[in-house]
Amino acid sequence: MLVESMEDMRQIYENSPFNNFLGIKLEEFEEGSVVYSLKVTPVHLNVNQGVHGGVYFSILDSVMGATIRTVIKQPIVTVNVTINYFAPVKNGETMIARANVIQHGKSIMTAEGIIEDSNGQLLAKATGTFKRIRNR
């Protein structure tokens, strides 16, 4: 069983190629508490000039997975994510995502994640199921 230190995990998430590509910034990284932010730019927009739903998914999946990993200190993979979208985000605005673990089993964990704008307005909420990766 591979157990990771908090500093090793912080480095993994700060240097995530995918998160860096999207512009997702790690703001807080503590056991059971991870916060990401994303400053919206034109590359994040859909044809209606709002943030594409895939961007919402990506930041929610990332923050929920990272939060779980800070608790179990082992790699995980996403099994399922359900998202409710509540409000659009426009170019130039900042999205702030955070999550909490709501169920922690032996191999399956569940988290809830939210995205708010800089004024605290709820933009989206997700529930994600994740599975511990077993050493082979």
Side-chain angles (χ1 to χ4, degrees), residues 13-73:
Y13 288 104
E14 283 181 339
N15 297 309
S16 165
F18 184 72
N19 286 355
N20 290 336
F21 174 75
L22 286 179
I24 297 171
K25 304 286 186 221
L26 183 61
E27 301 292 345
E28 181 181 313
F29 194 83
E30 299 173 9
E31 186 170 326
S33 180
V34 176
V35 177
Y36 281 128
S37 68
L38 174 68
K39 175 84 171 180
V40 176
T41 68
V43 301
H44 301 116
L45 304 180
N46 61 24
V47 297
N48 299 317
Q49 300 305 300
V51 171
H52 191 283
V55 176
Y56 284 84
F57 170 83
S58 294
I59 195 170
L60 285 164
D61 181 52
S62 293
V63 77
M64 289 186 295
T67 301
I68 288 173
R69 198 163 171 177
T70 67
V71 173
I72 69 167
K73 314 265 188 306

Side-chain angles (χ1 to χ4, degrees), residues 75-136:
I76 57 169
V77 294
T78 306
V79 174
N80 184 60
V81 174
T82 302
I83 303 173
N84 291 305
Y85 301 91
F86 301 120
V89 185
K90 301 289 184 193
N91 187 36
E93 295 179 1
T94 299
M95 302 169 75
I96 302 163
R98 56 182 42 93
N100 63 298
V101 178
I102 60 173
Q103 184 274 334
H104 177 240
K106 183 176 177 182
S107 61
I108 300 291
M109 284 68 55
T110 305
E112 284 184 332
I114 62 165
I115 301 173
E116 297 173 320
D117 66 14
S118 56
N119 296 318
Q121 179 185 3
L122 184 62
L123 305 173
K125 183 174 182 177
T127 303
T129 304
F130 299 80
K131 183 175 181 172
R132 183 185 319 256
I133 297 174
R134 296 181 186 187
N135 294 337
R136 293 185 177 171

